[in-house]
mmCIF file of all heavy atoms in Angstrom:
data_model
loop_
_atom_site.group_PDB
_atom_site.id
_atom_site.type_symbol
_atom_site.label_atom_id
_atom_site.label_comp_id
_atom_site.label_asym_id
_atom_site.label_seq_id
_atom_site.Cartn_x
_atom_site.Cartn_y
_atom_site.Cartn_z
ATOM 1 N N GLN D 8 -11.103 3.411 -7.706
ATOM 2 C CA GLN D 8 -9.877 2.928 -7.086
ATOM 3 C C GLN D 8 -9.363 1.692 -7.817
ATOM 4 O O GLN D 8 -8.162 1.565 -8.072
ATOM 5 C CB GLN D 8 -10.114 2.609 -5.609
ATOM 6 C CG GLN D 8 -10.404 3.832 -4.773
ATOM 7 C CD GLN D 8 -10.914 3.487 -3.394
ATOM 8 O OE1 GLN D 8 -11.610 2.479 -3.207
ATOM 9 N NE2 GLN D 8 -10.583 4.320 -2.417
ATOM 10 N N GLN D 9 -10.270 0.787 -8.180
ATOM 11 C CA GLN D 9 -9.879 -0.395 -8.940
ATOM 12 C C GLN D 9 -9.354 0.006 -10.312
ATOM 13 O O GLN D 9 -8.389 -0.572 -10.809
ATOM 14 C CB GLN D 9 -11.063 -1.364 -9.080
ATOM 15 C CG GLN D 9 -10.675 -2.679 -9.743
ATOM 16 C CD GLN D 9 -9.637 -3.456 -8.957
ATOM 17 O OE1 GLN D 9 -9.834 -3.745 -7.775
ATOM 18 N NE2 GLN D 9 -8.535 -3.814 -9.588
ATOM 19 N N GLN D 10 -9.971 1.017 -10.922
ATOM 20 C CA GLN D 10 -9.497 1.496 -12.222
ATOM 21 C C GLN D 10 -8.088 2.072 -12.102
ATOM 22 O O GLN D 10 -7.249 1.859 -12.987
ATOM 23 C CB GLN D 10 -10.454 2.549 -12.782
ATOM 24 C CG GLN D 10 -11.785 1.973 -13.219
ATOM 25 C CD GLN D 10 -12.810 3.043 -13.560
ATOM 26 O OE1 GLN D 10 -12.665 4.209 -13.200
ATOM 27 N NE2 GLN D 10 -13.875 2.636 -14.247
ATOM 28 N N ALA D 11 -7.820 2.798 -11.025
ATOM 29 C CA ALA D 11 -6.480 3.349 -10.805
ATOM 30 C C ALA D 11 -5.470 2.214 -10.637
ATOM 31 O O ALA D 11 -4.372 2.259 -11.206
ATOM 32 C CB ALA D 11 -6.469 4.262 -9.586
ATOM 33 N N LEU D 12 -5.843 1.187 -9.888
ATOM 34 C CA LEU D 12 -4.957 0.046 -9.679
ATOM 35 C C LEU D 12 -4.728 -0.703 -10.991
ATOM 36 O O LEU D 12 -3.593 -1.064 -11.318
ATOM 37 C CB LEU D 12 -5.549 -0.883 -8.623
ATOM 38 C CG LEU D 12 -4.647 -1.954 -8.050
ATOM 39 C CD1 LEU D 12 -3.446 -1.347 -7.341
ATOM 40 C CD2 LEU D 12 -5.428 -2.829 -7.088
ATOM 41 N N ASP D 13 -5.787 -0.907 -11.774
ATOM 42 C CA ASP D 13 -5.660 -1.573 -13.078
ATOM 43 C C ASP D 13 -4.751 -0.782 -14.011
ATOM 44 O O ASP D 13 -3.921 -1.358 -14.724
ATOM 45 C CB ASP D 13 -7.028 -1.773 -13.723
ATOM 46 C CG ASP D 13 -7.902 -2.761 -12.964
ATOM 47 O OD1 ASP D 13 -7.369 -3.531 -12.142
ATOM 48 O OD2 ASP D 13 -9.137 -2.746 -13.194
ATOM 49 N N ALA D 14 -4.913 0.549 -14.005
ATOM 50 C CA ALA D 14 -4.066 1.400 -14.851
ATOM 51 C C ALA D 14 -2.604 1.318 -14.403
ATOM 52 O O ALA D 14 -1.688 1.298 -15.234
ATOM 53 C CB ALA D 14 -4.561 2.842 -14.809
ATOM 54 N N LEU D 15 -2.384 1.254 -13.095
ATOM 55 C CA LEU D 15 -1.032 1.111 -12.562
ATOM 56 C C LEU D 15 -0.399 -0.195 -13.019
ATOM 57 O O LEU D 15 0.738 -0.216 -13.497
ATOM 58 C CB LEU D 15 -1.064 1.182 -11.032
ATOM 59 C CG LEU D 15 0.245 0.919 -10.304
ATOM 60 C CD1 LEU D 15 1.286 1.965 -10.669
ATOM 61 C CD2 LEU D 15 0.013 0.881 -8.814
ATOM 62 N N TYR D 16 -1.146 -1.287 -12.925
ATOM 63 C CA TYR D 16 -0.622 -2.586 -13.354
ATOM 64 C C TYR D 16 -0.371 -2.618 -14.854
ATOM 65 O O TYR D 16 0.631 -3.185 -15.300
ATOM 66 C CB TYR D 16 -1.557 -3.712 -12.936
ATOM 67 C CG TYR D 16 -1.639 -3.932 -11.441
ATOM 68 C CD1 TYR D 16 -2.736 -4.539 -10.868
ATOM 69 C CD2 TYR D 16 -0.612 -3.523 -10.597
ATOM 70 C CE1 TYR D 16 -2.812 -4.740 -9.498
ATOM 71 C CE2 TYR D 16 -0.684 -3.717 -9.235
ATOM 72 C CZ TYR D 16 -1.789 -4.320 -8.687
ATOM 73 O OH TYR D 16 -1.852 -4.527 -7.333
ATOM 74 N N ALA D 17 -1.256 -2.011 -15.635
ATOM 75 C CA ALA D 17 -1.059 -1.947 -17.090
ATOM 76 C C ALA D 17 0.209 -1.167 -17.405
ATOM 77 O O ALA D 17 1.013 -1.564 -18.258
ATOM 78 C CB ALA D 17 -2.268 -1.306 -17.761
ATOM 79 N N HIS D 18 0.421 -0.056 -16.715
ATOM 80 C CA HIS D 18 1.626 0.752 -16.915
ATOM 81 C C HIS D 18 2.874 -0.079 -16.603
ATOM 82 O O HIS D 18 3.841 -0.061 -17.370
ATOM 83 C CB HIS D 18 1.568 1.994 -16.020
ATOM 84 C CG HIS D 18 2.737 2.891 -16.183
ATOM 85 N ND1 HIS D 18 2.685 4.041 -16.927
ATOM 86 C CD2 HIS D 18 4.013 2.827 -15.712
ATOM 87 C CE1 HIS D 18 3.871 4.632 -16.907
ATOM 88 N NE2 HIS D 18 4.683 3.916 -16.166
ATOM 89 N N MET D 19 2.831 -0.800 -15.496
ATOM 90 C CA MET D 19 4.002 -1.582 -15.083
ATOM 91 C C MET D 19 4.287 -2.728 -16.067
ATOM 92 O O MET D 19 5.446 -3.096 -16.259
ATOM 93 C CB MET D 19 3.789 -2.120 -13.663
ATOM 94 C CG MET D 19 3.828 -1.012 -12.632
ATOM 95 S SD MET D 19 3.289 -1.399 -10.939
ATOM 96 C CE MET D 19 3.824 -3.023 -10.642
ATOM 97 N N ARG D 20 3.245 -3.286 -16.689
ATOM 98 C CA ARG D 20 3.441 -4.349 -17.684
ATOM 99 C C ARG D 20 3.990 -3.808 -19.000
ATOM 100 O O ARG D 20 4.786 -4.465 -19.665
ATOM 101 C CB ARG D 20 2.111 -5.061 -17.981
ATOM 102 C CG ARG D 20 1.721 -6.106 -16.974
ATOM 103 C CD ARG D 20 0.551 -6.936 -17.476
ATOM 104 N NE ARG D 20 -0.604 -6.141 -17.853
ATOM 105 C CZ ARG D 20 -1.568 -5.743 -17.031
ATOM 106 N NH1 ARG D 20 -1.515 -6.068 -15.762
ATOM 107 N NH2 ARG D 20 -2.583 -5.032 -17.469
ATOM 108 N N GLU D 21 3.562 -2.620 -19.384
ATOM 109 C CA GLU D 21 3.842 -2.095 -20.721
ATOM 110 C C GLU D 21 5.040 -1.161 -20.797
ATOM 111 O O GLU D 21 5.572 -0.939 -21.878
ATOM 112 C CB GLU D 21 2.601 -1.374 -21.251
ATOM 113 C CG GLU D 21 1.396 -2.285 -21.391
ATOM 114 C CD GLU D 21 0.087 -1.536 -21.557
ATOM 115 O OE1 GLU D 21 0.124 -0.287 -21.684
ATOM 116 O OE2 GLU D 21 -0.976 -2.193 -21.551
ATOM 117 N N ARG D 22 5.449 -0.605 -19.685
ATOM 118 C CA ARG D 22 6.503 0.406 -19.727
ATOM 119 C C ARG D 22 7.596 0.087 -18.722
ATOM 120 O O ARG D 22 7.402 -0.682 -17.789
ATOM 121 C CB ARG D 22 5.900 1.782 -19.452
ATOM 122 C CG ARG D 22 4.861 2.162 -20.500
ATOM 123 C CD ARG D 22 4.221 3.478 -20.229
ATOM 124 N NE ARG D 22 5.220 4.538 -20.165
ATOM 125 C CZ ARG D 22 4.915 5.826 -20.216
ATOM 126 N NH1 ARG D 22 3.672 6.212 -20.350
ATOM 127 N NH2 ARG D 22 5.855 6.733 -20.142
ATOM 128 N N ASP D 23 8.715 0.752 -18.912
ATOM 129 C CA ASP D 23 9.851 0.539 -18.019
ATOM 130 C C ASP D 23 10.261 1.863 -17.382
ATOM 131 O O ASP D 23 11.422 2.244 -17.397
ATOM 132 C CB ASP D 23 11.020 -0.073 -18.798
ATOM 133 C CG ASP D 23 12.132 -0.548 -17.877
ATOM 134 O OD1 ASP D 23 11.844 -0.880 -16.719
ATOM 135 O OD2 ASP D 23 13.292 -0.558 -18.327
ATOM 136 N N ASP D 24 9.280 2.566 -16.866
ATOM 137 C CA ASP D 24 9.572 3.807 -16.148
ATOM 138 C C ASP D 24 8.760 3.814 -14.851
ATOM 139 O O ASP D 24 8.260 2.787 -14.431
ATOM 140 C CB ASP D 24 9.302 5.037 -17.030
ATOM 141 C CG ASP D 24 7.864 5.112 -17.517
ATOM 142 O OD1 ASP D 24 7.054 4.226 -17.173
ATOM 143 O OD2 ASP D 24 7.535 6.060 -18.244
ATOM 144 N N HIS D 25 8.660 4.948 -14.224
ATOM 145 C CA HIS D 25 8.083 5.035 -12.888
ATOM 146 C C HIS D 25 6.667 5.599 -12.936
ATOM 147 O O HIS D 25 6.476 6.776 -13.243
ATOM 148 C CB HIS D 25 8.967 5.895 -11.997
ATOM 149 C CG HIS D 25 10.387 5.429 -11.981
ATOM 150 N ND1 HIS D 25 10.777 4.295 -11.319
ATOM 151 C CD2 HIS D 25 11.492 5.904 -12.594
ATOM 152 C CE1 HIS D 25 12.066 4.109 -11.500
ATOM 153 N NE2 HIS D 25 12.524 5.070 -12.272
ATOM 154 N N PRO D 26 5.662 4.790 -12.600
ATOM 155 C CA PRO D 26 4.280 5.273 -12.627
ATOM 156 C C PRO D 26 3.961 6.153 -11.423
ATOM 157 O O PRO D 26 4.613 6.058 -10.370
ATOM 158 C CB PRO D 26 3.461 3.987 -12.572
ATOM 159 C CG PRO D 26 4.348 3.023 -11.858
ATOM 160 C CD PRO D 26 5.754 3.380 -12.255
ATOM 161 N N VAL D 27 2.963 6.994 -11.584
ATOM 162 C CA VAL D 27 2.465 7.841 -10.512
ATOM 163 C C VAL D 27 0.949 7.733 -10.500
ATOM 164 O O VAL D 27 0.313 7.824 -11.551
ATOM 165 C CB VAL D 27 2.868 9.326 -10.717
ATOM 166 C CG1 VAL D 27 2.242 10.216 -9.657
ATOM 167 C CG2 VAL D 27 4.379 9.471 -10.716
ATOM 168 N N VAL D 28 0.370 7.512 -9.334
ATOM 169 C CA VAL D 28 -1.080 7.485 -9.184
ATOM 170 C C VAL D 28 -1.492 8.785 -8.512
ATOM 171 O O VAL D 28 -0.990 9.114 -7.439
ATOM 172 C CB VAL D 28 -1.537 6.277 -8.342
ATOM 173 C CG1 VAL D 28 -3.037 6.329 -8.101
ATOM 174 C CG2 VAL D 28 -1.131 4.977 -9.023
ATOM 175 N N VAL D 29 -2.380 9.527 -9.154
ATOM 176 C CA VAL D 29 -2.855 10.802 -8.621
ATOM 177 C C VAL D 29 -4.357 10.700 -8.402
ATOM 178 O O VAL D 29 -5.104 10.431 -9.343
ATOM 179 C CB VAL D 29 -2.534 11.964 -9.594
ATOM 180 C CG1 VAL D 29 -3.055 13.280 -9.031
ATOM 181 C CG2 VAL D 29 -1.041 12.040 -9.870
ATOM 182 N N LEU D 30 -4.774 10.902 -7.169
ATOM 183 C CA LEU D 30 -6.190 10.909 -6.817
ATOM 184 C C LEU D 30 -6.440 12.100 -5.903
ATOM 185 O O LEU D 30 -5.557 12.493 -5.135
ATOM 186 C CB LEU D 30 -6.581 9.612 -6.095
ATOM 187 C CG LEU D 30 -6.509 8.323 -6.916
ATOM 188 C CD1 LEU D 30 -6.649 7.106 -6.011
ATOM 189 C CD2 LEU D 30 -7.585 8.312 -7.973
ATOM 190 N N PRO D 31 -7.640 12.674 -5.938
ATOM 191 C CA PRO D 31 -7.925 13.842 -5.099
ATOM 192 C C PRO D 31 -7.947 13.501 -3.606
ATOM 193 O O PRO D 31 -8.078 12.338 -3.214
ATOM 194 C CB PRO D 31 -9.304 14.316 -5.558
ATOM 195 C CG PRO D 31 -9.799 13.342 -6.540
ATOM 196 C CD PRO D 31 -8.751 12.316 -6.791
ATOM 197 N N THR D 32 -7.858 14.524 -2.803
ATOM 198 C CA THR D 32 -7.941 14.385 -1.351
ATOM 199 C C THR D 32 -9.229 13.669 -0.975
ATOM 200 O O THR D 32 -10.297 13.992 -1.488
ATOM 201 C CB THR D 32 -7.897 15.773 -0.679
ATOM 202 O OG1 THR D 32 -6.695 16.420 -1.064
ATOM 203 C CG2 THR D 32 -7.963 15.662 0.830
ATOM 204 N N GLY D 33 -9.115 12.698 -0.101
ATOM 205 C CA GLY D 33 -10.289 11.993 0.394
ATOM 206 C C GLY D 33 -10.806 10.898 -0.525
ATOM 207 O O GLY D 33 -11.858 10.319 -0.260
ATOM 208 N N SER D 34 -10.077 10.592 -1.582
ATOM 209 C CA SER D 34 -10.562 9.598 -2.546
ATOM 210 C C SER D 34 -10.093 8.181 -2.226
ATOM 211 O O SER D 34 -10.508 7.236 -2.892
ATOM 212 C CB SER D 34 -10.121 9.978 -3.957
ATOM 213 O OG SER D 34 -8.710 9.997 -4.036
#
Side-chain angles (χ1 to χ4, degrees):
Q8 293 168 327
Q9 186 62 55
Q10 290 171 343
L12 193 61
D13 293 343
L15 174 63
Y16 293 157
H18 181 101
M19 290 169 36
R20 279 191 305 273
E21 298 165 6
R22 299 178 58 165
D23 190 27
D24 59 1
H25 306 287
V27 175
V28 175
V29 179
L30 294 169
T32 302
S34 61

